[in-house]
Amino acid sequence: MAAKDSVTLSEQPETPFHDLDHYLAIPRVSGLALSPDGGRLVTTVATLNAKGTEYCTALWEVDPNGASQARRITRSAKGEAGAVFTANGDLYFTSARPDPESPEADPVNALWMLPSGGGEARVAFSRAGGITGVLAAADADTLAVAAPVLAGATDEDDDEERRKARKDNKVAAILHSGYPVRYWDADLGPAQPRLFAVEPGEPLETGKPATVDAAPPLKLRNLTPDAGNRLRDAQTVISPDGRTIYCSFTKPLANADSRSVLVAIDVATGTRTMLLDTDGMHYYPGPVSPDNRNLVVVSESDTTPFAAPQIKLHLLDVTAPAGGGALTPLAHDWDRWARPAAWLPDGSALLVTADEDGAAPVFRIPVAGAPGQVSRLTADDAAYTDVVAAPDGRGAYALRSSYEFPAEPVRIDLASGGVVRLPAPAERPKYKGTLERVEATTADGARVPAYLALPDGASAANPAPLLLWIHGGPLGSWNAWTWRWNPWLLVARGYAVLLPDPALSTGYGQDHIQRGWGEWGKAPYTDLMAVTDAVVQRPDIDQERTAAMGGSFGGYMANWVAGHTDRFKAIITHASLWALDQFGPTTDAAQYWLKEMTAEMAMENSPHLHVDNIRTPMLVIHGDKDYRVPIGEGLRLWYELLAKSQLAADANGETDHRFLYFPDENHWILQPQHAKVWYGVVEHFLARHLLDKDLPVPDELGL
């Protein structure tokens, strides 16, 4: 995986996973937008810049019929995102690239438009605070945007002046009066999100000749001037007729708690109507039916120390008096957590995705005739996202990925469930190795499924060392391609990688989640050990050379494993929870976490209380900008390993433990050059303790 300044054709690696520079250069596809007539399909592609220091995004058009090669339709150093089609086929997106007509202005994330008839993109609207999102009605000439506004600003001019004053005076201070104050890696405030209607502005009376493509100016009308912080992290949809925006609103509660309620915003007047507000329940909007009558609603119950959340689908008749009627349950007997995606054009059924036994298929739920009878459409072991329905009702489009390939655009036949891969912006990267589905049964009879990625040549005569990778969440599943935890990079180095879904994982029903709820150190741990026990019995696995790795909750489990067994030769813990009494009040979402365990349960499940049992070398990795698992967890873990573990620092300050610290990274390692360092140090640490090899650490560390 050593970095190279340049690679000639004769030096090409066997696969991109045999060289980190090649791996990082693999194009990354995300997002999908379909034009109203179904003739244009647009996705976003991120590619590595020439210096290899960051990813730049561009919009690409994919042929919905699969006949033509994908083609790039935007190009800029700043990149583009958030593509949406309007009812007339114009394509809107956001970009911070400079406006060719105002090259002297400081670039901000502006609203750009690519005309349906062709031609170059142009700036549709720009403002000092930028644009963060775009909403377009399917059947009407209605466009709305989300944008941040300084809390004290009276209008757009005042907002711009206040921003300039903060910038000119180099003021970064933020005065808070509520909670939260941080989110993932962002310091919240002083700006607050708002929703705006985009409308024609006053025409410029220059009297000068102009070309036929000269567009009248636009203006923004604030639909939520009194929203305060309630639109932070909001989920928002617009009705097909463009008359109503539905969004989740954060309702503050006593003792720094909050919950998500559901509101409707009249686009014409800005009037806001409360639709759903129930103690102990959070509500989020799904898509609106083609006839504008029914809104899909996702409900999520509050967690308690003894009960995992329940996530359910409903229909809400928004034509009823006061803007909404009673909730109608939809597929409540289905033991999965559905993510609503799209209505069929005739309004007869809803397309959803849900984790399902190591996959995330597309499902159809009828809303008429036999409502709630869920049928699975896609049969493969892949994960589908960004599902959009074709206007003819016969097909749908989506992005599909699995552990065998990254996200790619596909067409789904809704009658047969057949899936056709469309010509993509990039070829599938080739890897060497095999992927198997394996499972174990615990002492209490529970099933623990997993994926096992094996290197070529693994056999009884040449058994592969095993890496146990524990997923984060913990409410999640190993079922889709991941760029951050990609097994093929280490499979290319001869390791087998085990990807289990223990208790708390999604896709196996509510009972599988509940088995580990409030008791992280029990069923999740015993599940992980059971599936490891089963896999190391294979003749092609070397049970004497094993390691455990995980990030976030997976890092928590790695820490717990380290304090409860010495079966592994090395343990790698990334962005991990260490002292649960410390983590709870300092995470960016304490109001959620502190409902999940009592103080007594947190102490019973806290890894830090078992540090004196740790005799396995640990690699601790943490980013200083991680607000979800604050850096204090990593700092305390590192100190206590050196001070209290059985591999504590000796009289010369030497230890087998290591700490890889990123001052400017967050919960994930996003910068490409840091991803290289991450994998390079991981490989060095594993080789040292599993292979008895002293591989060099990346040169960029300066060691």
Side-chain angles (χ1 to χ4, degrees), residues 134-152:
V134 190
L135 293 170
D139 302 328
D141 185 21
T142 304
L143 190 68
V145 297
V149 173
L150 291 177

Side-chain angles (χ1 to χ4, degrees), residues 336-348:
R336 294 294 182 268
W337 289 0
R339 296 177 288 269
W343 287 84
L344 295 189
D346 62 2
S348 63

Side-chain angles (χ1 to χ4, degrees), residues 146-495:
V149 173
L150 291 177
T154 57
D155 55 31
E156 285 289 275
D157 290 339
D158 187 33
D159 182 69
E160 185 172 359
E161 290 177 6
R162 289 170 182 262
R163 290 177 184 278
K164 185 176 185 302
R166 284 179 63 86
K167 180 180 178 181
D168 291 348
N169 291 288
K170 301 186 184 303
V171 173
I174 304 168
L175 178 63
H176 290 282
S177 60
Y179 188 84
V181 300
R182 318 197 290 181
Y183 188 67
W184 286 113
D185 63 349
D187 295 309
L188 301 182
Q192 299 173 341
R194 299 284 186 267
L195 293 173
F196 294 86
V198 181
E199 299 177 336
E202 295 296 327
L204 298 176
E205 298 180 1
T206 62
K208 296 178 181 178
T211 58
V212 294
D213 68 343
L218 298 175
K219 67 177 182 180
L220 300 185
R221 177 167 52 86
N222 196 337
L223 296 173
T224 55
D226 62 341
N229 289 319
R230 291 170 176 80
L231 282 169
R232 293 202 196 283
D233 200 35
Q235 296 184 24
T236 308
V237 300
I238 190 168
S239 60
D241 62 12
R243 295 181 178 180
T244 312
I245 292 175
Y246 301 96
C247 65
S248 55
F249 239 47
T250 299
K251 179 177 181 177
L253 304 173
N255 303 318
D257 199 359
S258 63
R259 68 169 177 266
S260 290
V261 299
L262 188 65
V263 302
I265 300 170
D266 184 272
V267 174
T269 65
T271 302
R272 186 166 66 245
T273 302
M274 179 68 68
L275 297 180
L276 295 169
D277 179 3
T278 306
D279 287 344
M281 195 68 69
H282 304 260
Y283 296 107
Y284 306 95
V288 184
S289 60
D291 62 3
N292 301 285
R293 183 179 185 89
N294 287 304
L295 172 70
V296 178
V297 176
V298 180
S299 69
E300 179 177 347
S301 61
D302 261 348
T303 64
T304 74
F306 308 101
Q310 295 269 354
I311 297 178
K312 299 293 185 181
L313 291 182
H314 315 258
L315 294 180
L316 180 65
D317 182 353
V318 292
T319 66
L327 283 175
T328 300
L330 186 62
H332 277 203
D333 293 335
W334 186 33
D335 195 14
R336 294 294 182 268
W337 289 0
R339 296 177 288 269
W343 287 84
L344 295 189
D346 62 2
S348 63
L350 186 70
L351 300 180
V352 306
T353 61
D355 291 347
E356 169 81 354
D357 202 357
V362 179
F363 300 86
R364 174 168 39 208
I365 305 178
V367 297
Q373 293 186 3
V374 182
S375 58
R376 179 170 174 168
L377 290 177
T378 56
D380 54 358
D381 293 328
Y384 291 79
T385 64
D386 301 275
V387 180
V388 291
D392 62 8
R394 293 182 294 179
Y397 302 93
L399 294 183
R400 174 184 67 174
S401 77
S402 77
Y403 276 106
E404 297 181 306
F405 49 85
E408 60 187 20
V410 297
R411 183 176 66 246
I412 305 167
D413 184 290
L414 296 180
S416 67
V419 181
V420 176
R421 181 185 175 207
L422 299 174
E427 293 299 319
R428 282 185 181 178
K430 296 180 180 179
Y431 64 88
K432 297 207 67 174
T434 57
L435 186 69
E436 297 182 16
R437 192 72 169 150
V438 298
E439 63 179 62
T441 302
T442 64
D444 62 356
R447 170 177 173 253
V448 188
Y451 284 106
L452 178 64
L454 284 165
D456 284 352
S459 65
N462 183 35
L466 178 70
L467 307 181
L468 167 65
W469 283 21
I470 310 166
H471 71 65
L475 302 175
S477 171
W478 287 124
N479 61 16
W481 185 271
T482 168
W483 296 104
R484 276 295 307 120
W485 290 79
N486 194 290
W488 302 114
L489 287 167
L490 288 164
V491 169
R493 288 321 203 209
Y495 297 96

Side-chain angles (χ1 to χ4, degrees), residues 42-68:
V42 170
T43 189
T44 303
V45 182
T47 53
L48 198 62
N49 68 3
K51 294 182 178 179
T53 56
E54 62 181 349
Y55 288 97
C56 182
T57 56
L59 302 183
W60 283 67
E61 189 165 332
V62 177
D63 181 6
N65 297 315
S68 303

Side-chain angles (χ1 to χ4, degrees), residues 3-5 21 24-25 47-56 671-674 676 700:
K4 299 177 177 65
D5 293 330
D21 288 317
L24 292 170
T47 53
L48 198 62
N49 68 3
K51 294 182 178 179
T53 56
E54 62 181 349
Y55 288 97
C56 182
Q671 299 176 53
Q673 67 274 26
H674 285 162
K676 287 177 60 176
E700 293 85 351

